[in-house]
Amino acid sequence: MLEWILGLYCLYLLIKLYAALMEIGFVEKAKRFEPIVLSAANYRKAAAYKIASQKLSLVTTLYDFMLFFVWITFGLRRLNEIVFFENTLLNSAVYVLVFIGVNYLLSLPFDLYQTFVLDKKFGFSTIAPRTFFLDQCKSVAMFIVFGGAFFVAMAYIIDTFKDWWMYGFAFSFAVVLFINMIYPVVIVPIFNKLTPLQDENLQSAIERLLDKAGLHSSGVFCLDASKRDNRLNAYFGGLGRSKRVVLFDTLIAKLTTSELLAVLGHELGHFAHKDILKNIAASALMLFIMFALFGNLPLGLFESLHVEPSAHVVIALFLLLSPVISFAMMPLFGLLSRYNEYRADAYGSECENQEALRAALIKLADENKSFPFAHPLTIALYFTHPPLTARLERLGMRFESSAKDACAH
Ligand SMILES: [Zn+2]
C-alpha cells in the first residue's frame, strides 16, 4: 500500500519537475526574441523572474518530496510516540498542530528567500523585515487558536461517526464559506489599513458602474498594499447585492480612471456570470472528492505506516496528500476558470471599452512583470487565467510574427 502512495507521489513529482523544466526552456528561448506587450526592459526582467521562480520551484518540489518521504516512512509514527495526551481530542489537535508547525518551520527558509531575495531583487517586495515578522506572528497566533479549534472539531467528527467523511465535508465546507464571508471585513484589516477612497470623481464613476450591473456599493476603499508589495490588484467583497470595492493603492497610482473602470468591469463580469457561485460549487466538489477518498482509506495503508487509523493520522495524511489530489483536479478547474476569464474580459470591455481594458491589462503585466505567455503544459496544469497574449488577442489586439509564434513550434 505504501508503495502505491509513494508511486503516486513520484508520478506527481516527475510531472511537476518536467513541467518546470519545459517552462524554463520555453522562456529561455522566448526571451531572445523581440519583446512583445511589455516594455523591453520589463520583458527581460519578467523572463528572468519567471526562470528564477521556476528554478526555485524545482528545488522546493524536490524538498517537499523529501519531507513527504520522511513523514510517510517514519515521521508520522515517530510523532505519534512523542505526542501523548490522555484526552484524545487534545492529543489529536496537538499532533496536527505540531505536524503543521514542523512543516511550516522547514519551509520558512524558502519563503524568506522568495520574499527577501527573489522578490526584492526584482523590485516586487517592499516589505520590511519587521512587517514580515509581525505578519508571521499574527498568522501563527490565529492559526493556533482557530486551526486548533477546527482540528479538535474535526477529530471529534472522525472519532464519533462511522461515515465521518460526509459530516467532515459538510463541516469543512461551512468553515470555508464562513472564512470567505468574514475575510474582507475581519481578516484583511488585521494585516492592512483600509481607507475610504478620497477621489470623489472616481468614487461616483465606480458607483455608476455598479448600478449598471444591478449592484450597489457599501463603500469604496483603498488598501495600503504598497507597504508589502508593488504588485497591483483590486477586488470586490461581500455577499448579496451590496459590494465593498477594494482597490490597492498601487493600482490607483498607476491606472487611469477609464482603465480602473475596465478592470472593475471585468470583476463585475464575474458577478454577472455568477462565476463566484460556480467557483464555490467547484471547490465544494473538490473538497467532497477529497473527503470521500480520505474517509475510505484502506486499513492496509495504516498497517504499512505502522500507525493506528486514528483521527490525527487521517488528518495528517489528508494534509500530506491533498496537494497531489488538487494537482490532479486542477487542469479541469483551470480550463473552466480560463473560460470564465475570457467572458469577464468581454463584459469588462463592454462596461468601458476594449482599449481601456487592453491598456489596463498591459500595465498590470508590465508593473507585475508577468511574462506574457507560457508553455502550453504550464498553462494546462496551473493557469487559472489565460496568458496575457491570448487575452489581448480576444480583445482585438494583433501580434505580428513574434516570439509567441516562434516558441509555439
Ligand atoms: Zn477575472
Side-chain angles (χ1 to χ4, degrees), residues 155-349:
Y156 173 78
I157 292 173
I158 296 176
D159 286 339
T160 312
F161 301 103
K162 192 169 167 289
D163 286 327
W164 64 265
W165 65 273
M166 283 190 260
Y167 301 96
F169 159 72
F171 174 66
S172 314
F173 186 55
V175 170
V176 170
L177 279 186
F178 180 70
I179 293 176
N180 269 310
M181 234 161 71
I182 64 163
Y183 191 84
V185 188
V186 180
I187 300 185
V188 169
I190 297 178
F191 293 95
N192 284 93
K193 218 166 72 198
L194 289 166
T195 38
L197 190 68
Q198 299 301 322
D199 184 338
E200 278 175 27
N201 288 333
L202 181 56
Q203 175 145 9
S204 51
I206 290 173
E207 272 155 19
R208 275 199 303 279
L209 186 70
L210 284 167
D211 275 346
K212 265 196 270 178
L215 303 169
H216 44 86
S217 120
S218 59
V220 182
F221 296 89
C222 171
L223 180 130
D224 62 340
S226 57
K227 82 169 172 185
R228 291 198 177 78
D229 211 286
N230 284 326
R231 279 169 274 217
L232 320 177
N233 211 344
Y235 66 87
F236 285 88
L239 296 170
R241 304 257 116 206
S242 155
K243 297 292 167 211
R244 163 192 277 238
V245 182
V246 178
L247 305 170
F248 282 23
D249 55 357
T250 44
L251 187 76
I252 300 174
K254 301 282 178 181
L255 297 193
T256 65
T257 301
S258 174
E259 288 161 0
L260 260 178
L261 292 175
V263 169
L264 292 175
H266 168 99
E267 295 303 323
L268 282 178
H270 286 308
F271 281 105
H273 302 130
K274 303 207 170 21
D275 291 343
I276 317 291
L277 286 177
K278 285 180 208 155
N279 284 344
I280 293 175
S283 38
L285 180 67
M286 225 175 195
L287 210 56
F288 183 82
I289 294 173
M290 287 198 201
F291 270 92
L293 276 173
F294 285 95
N296 298 291
L297 289 174
L299 284 176
L301 173 63
F302 298 95
E303 279 165 20
S304 60
L305 294 172
H306 304 288
V307 286
E308 294 285 306
S310 47
H312 48 273
V313 174
V314 174
I315 297 174
L317 279 176
F318 190 121
L319 295 173
L320 277 175
L321 286 167
S322 55
V324 184
I325 297 162
S326 47
F327 179 79
M329 292 191 262
M330 190 52 208
L332 180 61
F333 290 110
L335 190 68
L336 295 174
S337 170
R338 292 195 297 274
Y339 169 78
N340 289 339
E341 291 303 327
Y342 281 129
R343 287 204 311 174
D345 275 350
Y347 191 95
S349 57

Side-chain angles (χ1 to χ4, degrees), residues 3-215:
E3 299 77 45
W4 277 95
I5 302 269
L6 277 171
L8 187 71
Y9 201 99
C10 283
L11 182 65
Y12 158 78
L13 175 83
L14 289 177
I15 299 174
K16 278 190 81 157
L17 293 178
Y18 178 73
L21 287 171
M22 293 304 282
E23 182 68 12
I24 293 173
F26 181 85
V27 179
E28 286 283 6
K29 193 171 163 195
K31 78 175 184 192
R32 289 195 292 267
F33 286 87
E34 185 75 14
I36 51 169
V37 187
L38 311 185
S39 65
N42 281 348
Y43 182 85
R44 311 260 182 250
K45 263 193 196 157
Y49 182 68
K50 184 114 180 212
I51 291 167
S53 13
Q54 290 294 327
K55 284 185 180 160
L56 179 63
S57 91
L58 284 176
V59 177
T60 53
T61 304
L62 284 168
Y63 184 74
D64 286 345
F65 174 68
M66 205 183 72
L67 281 184
F68 178 83
F69 188 79
V70 168
W71 282 121
I72 279 291
T73 48
F74 63 90
L76 291 177
R77 182 167 33 119
R78 191 79 193 89
L79 190 58
N80 223 0
E81 292 157 7
I82 298 169
V83 176
F84 189 78
F85 291 95
E86 282 292 321
N87 183 311
T88 48
L89 289 183
L90 179 67
N91 192 60
S92 291
V94 172
Y95 182 97
V96 174
L97 287 179
V98 171
F99 170 78
I100 294 174
V102 169
N103 283 313
Y104 164 77
L105 288 176
L106 289 176
S107 62
L108 195 58
F110 294 101
D111 287 345
L112 289 170
Y113 176 79
Q114 169 93 43
T115 311
F116 289 103
V117 180
L118 207 54
D119 288 0
K120 272 252 154 48
K121 181 174 152 201
F122 286 92
F124 292 126
S125 171
T126 52
I127 195 165
R130 192 186 130 78
T131 316
F132 184 85
F133 180 72
L134 286 176
D135 282 358
Q136 297 290 317
C137 291
K138 286 180 203 166
S139 310
V140 169
M142 284 202 301
F143 190 77
I144 290 174
V145 175
F146 297 108
F150 176 81
F151 292 123
V152 165
M154 198 45 98
Y156 173 78
I157 292 173
I158 296 176
D159 286 339
T160 312
F161 301 103
K162 192 169 167 289
D163 286 327
W164 64 265
W165 65 273
M166 283 190 260
Y167 301 96
F169 159 72
F171 174 66
S172 314
F173 186 55
V175 170
V176 170
L177 279 186
F178 180 70
I179 293 176
N180 269 310
M181 234 161 71
I182 64 163
Y183 191 84
V185 188
V186 180
I187 300 185
V188 169
I190 297 178
F191 293 95
N192 284 93
K193 218 166 72 198
L194 289 166
T195 38
L197 190 68
Q198 299 301 322
D199 184 338
E200 278 175 27
N201 288 333
L202 181 56
Q203 175 145 9
S204 51
I206 290 173
E207 272 155 19
R208 275 199 303 279
L209 186 70
L210 284 167
D211 275 346
K212 265 196 270 178
L215 303 169

Side-chain angles (χ1 to χ4, degrees), residues 361-397:
L361 287 175
I362 291 172
K363 269 193 197 170
L364 286 170
D366 205 54
E367 286 296 325
N368 296 350
K369 296 184 197 81
S370 55
F371 200 66
F373 46 96
H375 190 274
L377 183 63
T378 312
I379 300 171
L381 290 177
Y382 302 109
F383 274 33
T384 54
H385 288 60
L388 181 63
T389 47
R391 289 175 78 178
L392 292 172
E393 275 173 344
R394 288 276 182 113
L395 292 168
M397 193 162 162

